[in-house]
Amino acid sequence: MVTESGVQALPPYEVGRLAGAVLDTVGSVVVGKRDSLELVLAGILAGGHVLLEDLPGLGKTLTARSFAQALGLDFRRLQFTPDLLPADVTGSFLYDQRKGDFAFRAGPVFTNMLLADEINRTPPKTQSALLEAMQEKQVSVEGVTYRLDPPFHVLATANPIEYEGTYPLPEAQLDRFMLRVSFGYPTAEEEWEVLQRRMSRRQEETFLTPVVDARTLQSMQAALEEVTVEDSIGRYIVALTAATREHPSVLVGSSPRGSLALLLLARARAAMAGRDFVVPEDVKDVAGPALAHRITLRPEMWLRRVDPSFVVDEVLQATPAPASGALPTYATGHTTA
């Protein structure tokens, strides 16, 4: 299959091989977090943006930089601070004295992978400057629209426990992130391995050899359109998302964008496994990261220490998974069994 932009889709087995090589490369510096790294890569393959929400010092920035290097992407890091302006993200027009006219100076958003570091430390006006870029893959400055070259992905970091001097992300922007990933503390053995690797390389910085390039990544992303989703699994995705809206602990459940995120991420998981079809386990693996940040709990639930991820776990347990067998009705020539 060749997309409208002329990108040739890779076969699923090749996507699985390359994805494994990328994960092995990133895993050489990000120790013991294979499951979380798989989720981040699934979000990238699905064409989405990833929110890395965890405590300081657990490898969020290192993960973003490592993926950019392993995927052969142009990478820029933007430190979000309370005094950051929207123009510092998108760019602005500056007067060129030699030409006697204003010229546009592109901001850091014009890249393949943007690390929005500590995104919750900047005011909503600057946070919203990313919204158009994340959703529309374009930037509008003073009435002029500039397209962002594909691939374009935002990996944002946030500290979930520090509230002083921070600005919580609005629901509209949270919804733009395809999934939210946390790493958690390493085990004692993993932490010791981190120290051993630091001593063996004899320097602070890490440099990874690219496994693929931007064009190959686009071919891997195009392969997801060839991954089959049975009707029963599609309805299972819808049932899971709808159940978050009916849960007694939830004030506002996931939007249909959550269903779409589940679909795309499940396809990515299948392709990463070298398959051209989705199984229910693919959906279950990504349900928490894809839906939990789209759920608003009732105020009293915070007093009971209920977490949105608990709601997703209960929804997964209460919603029957389908048995394989139904054919996808959206595919040409197929009918429901």
Side-chain angles (χ1 to χ4, degrees), residues 156-234:
T157 70
N159 186 340
I161 64 168
E162 203 168 320
Y163 298 106
E164 186 175 351
T166 63
Y167 303 83
L169 292 176
E171 284 75 9
Q173 187 160 349
L174 272 176
D175 209 29
R176 295 302 195 277
F177 288 99
M178 185 168 284
L179 73 167
R180 181 177 61 185
V181 179
S182 297
F183 291 99
Y185 284 113
T187 64
E189 286 301 317
E190 291 168 350
E191 194 162 354
W192 170 231
E193 187 175 350
V194 171
L195 301 185
Q196 286 180 309
R197 293 187 184 186
R198 171 60 182 86
M199 289 185 289
S200 65
R201 69 174 179 263
R202 305 176 69 86
Q203 63 181 14
E204 185 64 30
E205 294 298 320
T206 58
F207 300 95
L208 301 179
T209 301
V211 177
V212 298
D213 56 20
R215 188 72 173 180
T216 305
L217 174 60
Q218 289 180 272
S219 296
M220 295 170 70
Q221 293 171 331
L224 268 60
E225 297 301 328
E226 299 299 304
V227 177
T228 301
V229 182
E230 294 178 349
D231 285 4
S232 59
I233 293 179

Side-chain angles (χ1 to χ4, degrees), residues 29-31 33 52-63 65 77 79 117-118 121 157-162 182-187 190-191 194-195 201 204:
V29 293
V30 183
V31 178
K33 302 299 177 186
L52 305 175
E53 187 176 84
D54 218 325
L55 303 174
L58 295 182
K60 301 185 296 295
T61 302
L62 176 63
T63 295
R65 186 171 62 248
R77 177 181 179 272
Q79 182 67 47
D117 213 359
E118 296 186 291
R121 287 198 175 279
T157 70
N159 186 340
I161 64 168
E162 203 168 320
S182 297
F183 291 99
Y185 284 113
T187 64
E190 291 168 350
E191 194 162 354
V194 171
L195 301 185
R201 69 174 179 263
E204 185 64 30

Side-chain angles (χ1 to χ4, degrees), residues 9-74:
L10 293 176
Y13 68 84
E14 183 67 8
V15 176
R17 184 187 68 81
L18 292 174
V22 169
L23 289 169
D24 289 342
T25 300
V26 175
S28 67
V29 293
V30 183
V31 178
K33 302 299 177 186
R34 182 78 176 202
D35 291 343
S36 297
L37 296 180
E38 287 179 355
L39 289 170
V40 174
L41 182 57
I44 294 172
L45 290 180
H49 312 288
V50 182
L51 177 62
L52 305 175
E53 187 176 84
D54 218 325
L55 303 174
L58 295 182
K60 301 185 296 295
T61 302
L62 176 63
T63 295
R65 186 171 62 248
S66 298
F67 267 113
Q69 291 177 356
L71 294 170
L73 301 179
D74 182 46

